[in-house]
Amino acid sequence: MMRLPATILSGAAAAVLLSLALGIAPASAQEPVPDGTATATATADGRQVLNLKNADINVLIATVAEITGKNFIVDPRVEGKVTVITSEPMTPEDVYHTFLSVLRINGYAAVPNGKLIRIVPDAIARQFDSPPEVAGSTDSNTIVTRVLVVNNVSARELAELLKPLLPQAAQVSVHEGSNAIVVADRAGNIDRIERLLRRIDTATDEQVEVIALRHANATELARTLGTVSGDRGPRLVADGRTNSLLLSGDRRGRLHLRTLIAHLDTPLESGDTTQVVYLHYAAAADLVPVLSSLAKSLEGTEGGENAVSATSIQAHESTNSLVISAPSAVMDSLRSVIRQLDIRRAQVLIEAVIAEVAEEKAKEFGIQWQAVPGDDQIGRGVFGGTNFTGPNGGNIIGALADPFSLPGGLNLGWLDGTITVPGPNGRDITILNMGALVRALNADTGTNILSTPSIVTLDNQEAVLEVGQEVPFIQGEFTTPVASGSTTGSSNTLVNPFRTLERKSIGLKLKVTPQINEGDAVVLTLEQEVSSLAPQVQGAADLITNQRILKTTVLVGDGQMLVLGGLVTEDQNERVNMVPGLGRIPVLGNLFKYRSSNRIRRNLMVFLRPVILRDGHAETAISGNRYNYIRGEQLRMRDQADGLLQPEEKPVLPELEAVPGPGVAAPMPLPAPEPAAEGKRRRRGR
């Protein structure tokens, strides 16, 4: 028979074909079917008995078309051998169902299309239009497309779960907008998948329960039950603050865990229990007095002096832990208080700015003169003149013996040789014969001092920062007169056998205690002192210091700048030395007058800025910023220095590595190792 692109078999054509290939005879006793033959026996009531052994599949299609009266369109790719053996007569409908099963086994499918039925390979059967489904009439082997609506779970998750249960040729897609699954496959497979979907897509009864514990510890009990239930059981979370358990999951699992919790949350047989509580942040020794007082209050024994407490609390400082022996009720209360006290305390970075600007202007002008007899040696006669000492010291009398002792400024004088005058102990001394001395000075001095101390401390923890020098101050001394003799006489000399000194810190002192409020404000109890050595003043017995002391308590917002205080001073001194009467004569009076003026203006301001560091990331960011600043200053000085050392020989901090993740400690950076060749060359140079 010539094969066409598609073969159309009707009932009449199938009858002619069967008359040639099959012997259709009245029903009789069944005989063995030879290999490669096909028989179809009809009974009196119209039922058929099929027997095919290694027969061509097209023969089976023709047989079914003749028996059922259906019209088939056979795809050219449909070919192969089939075997069908039946022992009981079948109705035409049963024959057609058997035919569909044989097609499915051999990888083919029957796709209805109006009055025709396409016989095509199973892989492409789902590309054709599927007939509308009629409840109760669709054969399980028919290719259909069905929309499965999911109500309680995710359609995408459910589709991933169902795909392994379908044949490879089945097509599954998800429509997320309607939360539905579209399946194209045989009706029987889709019915099976739909039954599974309905069992999975049920309203869950998962709820969250809060179970308050009376005797057991919530954290320990959650850890124990978590080990028992594993990952598949209900979820269990402990709330240490209320000593409760949060239980979530399906009703059956929650009921099982509630039963276990009820059995475990019972008091111990003995009245007391002993536990070791390890602390994370608080100091064990600091908590002992607080907890001991609380235990007495809970037991009601705080009133009597001789009352004996049943609770014992000891601190083990090596492990920073508390060893507590107490009744169960007291133990639960103590552990609750410990959990609330043993918390991470925030830290505060305190940055202070101390700015002092001073301006000083000094003027000095005067004329001094001396008149002596004309002889080179003064033993008898009259001498006189003016002698004025300025604010910086120095006068004409001192210049006679040592002209270099005059202070800075313009010094003009008139000299006429030297003269000899009687000195102490009968010895003569030679001095300059200075007739007049004119001094003029105009000095401008500016001072700009900026101090920016910073310090980090824990909340409610006092911190002290001192930067300065230890300067010795004379506290007392003892002098003893010692007689010394000479050829001309004797005199007493004072000798200091000992002297008492006290060293005091001169510089910057900062003492501060921060207290973080509930919000973002910080209460600062501050004591700040800035001291420095003043220039030596004539007549002072010892060193003179300048002090700026500030004590205050302020409230500052996190990261906000606040001025703590300021001081603006202006000192003006006018000094006029003159000879009475003569100094008031106009013009000529300047020869008997010495004038000086000094004006000092100071501006002092103190600013403060606290920054709250609540976690390790903020602390790392601040530390890295300061570290990089110092390293940048070292690099700048190394590039600008012009010394004997090579730039690479000068120490520089190593580059700060990236910040590790939470829970990973950053290694302390170490200086880079010295190259071996460079180290050997340097040692040889020594």
Side-chain angles (χ1 to χ4, degrees):
M1 181 178 63
M2 181 179 295
R3 182 181 297 273
L4 299 176
T7 303
I8 302 177
L9 297 179
S10 62
V16 175
L17 181 63
L18 288 175
S19 65
L20 299 176
L22 300 175
I24 302 178
S28 60
Q30 296 290 331
E31 296 179 358
V33 181
D35 187 28
T37 62
T39 62
T41 304
T43 62
D45 55 358
R47 294 183 296 172
Q48 301 290 335
V49 177
L50 294 179
N51 289 289
L52 296 89
K53 187 173 183 181
N54 290 332
D56 189 271
I57 192 171
N58 290 287
V59 174
L60 175 63
I61 297 174
T63 303
V64 175
E66 194 275 335
I67 294 175
T68 61
K70 298 181 181 292
N71 300 320
F72 297 101
I73 300 177
V74 183
D75 189 276
R77 289 167 288 187
V78 177
E79 57 185 9
K81 301 293 185 178
V82 296
T83 298
V84 179
I85 299 176
T86 61
S87 59
E88 295 293 336
M90 296 183 295
T91 63
E93 183 179 356
D94 293 337
V95 170
Y96 184 70
H97 290 166
T98 303
F99 170 67
L100 294 180
S101 299
V102 173
L103 291 180
R104 180 176 180 180
I105 293 173
N106 289 271
Y108 303 112
V111 181
N113 184 17
K115 294 183 179 180
L116 298 177
I117 299 176
R118 298 187 184 96
I119 307 298
V120 296
D122 189 73
I124 64 173
R126 290 151 188 83
Q127 300 176 2
F128 296 94
D129 294 336
S130 299
E133 288 190 87
V134 179
S137 63
T138 302
D139 188 87
S140 61
N141 293 309
T142 304
I143 299 294
V144 297
T145 301
R146 191 177 301 175
V147 178
L148 306 178
V149 180
V150 183
N151 299 316
N152 300 293
V153 297
S154 172
R156 181 168 297 278
E157 295 179 1
L158 191 57
E160 296 296 330
L161 180 64
L162 298 177
K163 279 182 181 180
L165 304 178
L166 290 170
Q168 187 175 3
Q171 297 179 1
V172 180
S173 59
V174 177
H175 185 260
E176 295 185 356
S178 59
N179 198 43
I181 302 175
V182 181
V183 184
D185 197 18
R186 300 184 185 276
N189 285 339
I190 297 180
D191 291 340
R192 178 175 57 87
I193 293 300
E194 188 174 12
R195 289 192 297 270
L196 291 175
L197 184 145
R198 298 309 170 202
R199 294 185 62 182
I200 298 174
D201 184 31
T202 57
T204 178
D205 60 349
E206 286 194 1
Q207 296 180 1
V208 178
E209 297 183 33
V210 179
I211 303 176
L213 302 181
R214 299 182 58 186
H215 306 285
N217 180 267
T219 304
E220 296 178 357
L221 190 57
R223 183 167 56 250
T224 302
L225 295 178
T227 304
V228 174
S229 60
D231 299 333
R232 299 182 180 180
R235 292 181 295 275
L236 197 64
V237 180
D239 181 22
R241 188 180 64 86
T242 60
N243 196 40
S244 304
L245 293 175
L246 279 72
L247 186 61
S248 66
D250 60 276
R251 182 175 178 274
R252 181 178 180 182
R254 287 187 281 111
L255 179 61
H256 175 65
L257 280 183
R258 282 203 307 269
T259 304
L260 293 178
I261 293 172
H263 283 293
L264 295 177
D265 186 28
T266 56
L268 299 177
E269 295 181 0
S270 59
D272 296 346
T273 179
T274 301
Q275 297 184 14
V276 178
V277 181
Y278 294 95
L279 303 180
H280 300 286
Y281 304 103
D286 296 340
L287 291 185
V288 169
V290 178
L291 298 178
S292 299
S293 177
L294 177 62
K296 292 181 180 180
S297 176
L298 294 174
E299 295 173 355
T301 59
E302 70 278 14
E305 297 181 356
N306 299 325
V308 179
S309 174
T311 301
S312 173
I313 304 175
Q314 301 293 330
H316 189 259
E317 297 184 1
S318 300
T319 58
N320 194 37
S321 58
L322 295 171
V323 182
I324 305 176
S325 177
S328 299
V330 178
M331 177 67 75
D332 293 340
S333 299
L334 292 179
R335 292 187 66 94
S336 176
V337 172
I338 292 172
R339 283 191 296 270
Q340 299 178 56
L341 294 178
D342 187 28
I343 59 175
R344 177 189 173 93
R345 297 162 59 187
Q347 300 190 92
V348 181
L349 168 65
I350 303 167
E351 299 174 313
V353 177
I354 306 168
E356 181 176 358
V357 180
E359 181 183 9
E360 180 179 359
K361 291 185 178 182
K363 293 182 179 181
E364 185 177 339
F365 181 79
I367 300 175
Q368 304 176 55
W369 56 271
Q370 292 288 331
V372 297
D375 298 337
D376 292 338
Q377 185 174 2
I378 299 177
R380 179 181 300 173
V382 179
F383 76 96
T386 59
N387 179 29
F388 302 119
T389 303
N392 296 321
N395 51 39
I396 192 173
I397 297 300
L400 295 178
D402 183 8
F404 299 103
S405 63
L406 293 173
L410 177 63
N411 296 296
L412 296 177
W414 177 75
L415 298 177
D416 186 14
T418 59
I419 59 176
T420 303
V421 297
N425 299 327
R427 298 179 180 179
D428 296 337
I429 58 175
T430 301
I431 61 175
L432 295 174
N433 185 7
M434 183 178 296
L437 175 64
V438 179
R439 293 201 68 249
L441 174 65
N442 189 357
D444 291 339
T445 305
T447 304
N448 186 358
I449 301 176
L450 178 64
S451 301
T452 57
S454 60
I455 191 171
V456 178
T457 183
L458 283 173
D459 182 26
N460 284 316
Q461 189 73 35
E462 183 184 73
V464 179
L465 174 65
E466 292 190 12
V467 180
Q469 296 177 323
E470 293 283 341
V471 179
F473 288 86
I474 299 176
Q475 292 294 106
E477 60 182 359
F478 179 77
T479 60
T480 303
V482 178
S484 61
S486 64
T487 56
T488 59
S490 62
S491 63
N492 291 332
T493 303
L494 297 179
V495 178
N496 293 336
F498 65 86
R499 176 177 293 176
T500 303
L501 300 178
E502 180 184 1
R503 295 186 177 273
K504 296 183 178 180
S505 298
I506 300 297
L508 174 66
K509 296 180 182 178
L510 178 62
K511 184 184 296 184
V512 61
T513 303
Q515 179 182 347
I516 302 175
N517 287 353
E518 184 65 25
D520 291 332
V522 183
V523 177
L524 297 173
T525 302
L526 183 74
E527 181 177 345
Q528 182 174 274
E529 177 182 341
V530 180
S531 57
S532 61
L533 290 177
Q536 187 66 33
V537 178
Q538 185 177 5
D542 203 353
L543 301 176
I544 299 177
T545 59
N546 298 322
Q547 281 190 328
R548 308 286 189 271
I549 299 177
L550 177 65
K551 294 182 180 180
T552 184
T553 300
V554 295
L555 177 66
V556 194
D558 180 22
Q560 302 297 317
M561 179 77 73
L562 179 67
V563 57
L564 297 183
L567 175 64
V568 179
T569 61
E570 185 171 351
D571 300 335
Q572 186 170 351
N573 296 322
E574 293 283 348
R575 182 177 181 182
V576 179
N577 296 335
M578 64 180 178
V579 178
L582 297 178
R584 297 185 181 276
I585 299 175
V587 183
L588 295 178
N590 291 326
L591 299 175
F592 305 96
K593 186 184 298 183
Y594 194 92
R595 290 170 295 183
S596 64
S597 65
N598 189 23
R599 179 175 175 270
I600 302 176
R601 179 182 177 86
R602 291 188 179 90
N603 295 308
L604 175 64
M605 290 290 174
V606 180
F607 302 89
L608 200 67
R609 177 176 176 265
V611 178
I612 301 176
L613 308 178
R614 299 189 181 276
D615 51 29
H617 293 287
E619 298 165 4
T620 303
I622 291 293
S623 302
N625 179 271
R626 298 296 191 271
Y627 186 92
N628 292 330
Y629 170 76
I630 292 297
R631 186 173 184 273
E633 289 295 309
Q634 289 181 332
L635 292 174
R636 183 182 61 83
M637 294 182 63
R638 185 178 69 173
D639 295 338
Q640 296 179 357
D642 187 15
L644 297 178
L645 292 178
Q646 296 297 325
E648 60 272 9
E649 295 178 350
K650 297 179 180 179
V652 176
L653 287 173
E655 186 175 358
L656 187 63
E657 297 182 358
V659 180
V664 181
M668 185 66 183
L670 300 175
E674 184 182 24
E678 187 69 20
K680 294 179 180 179
R681 184 163 56 252
R682 193 170 302 168
R683 286 190 291 270
R684 288 197 299 267
R686 295 195 185 100

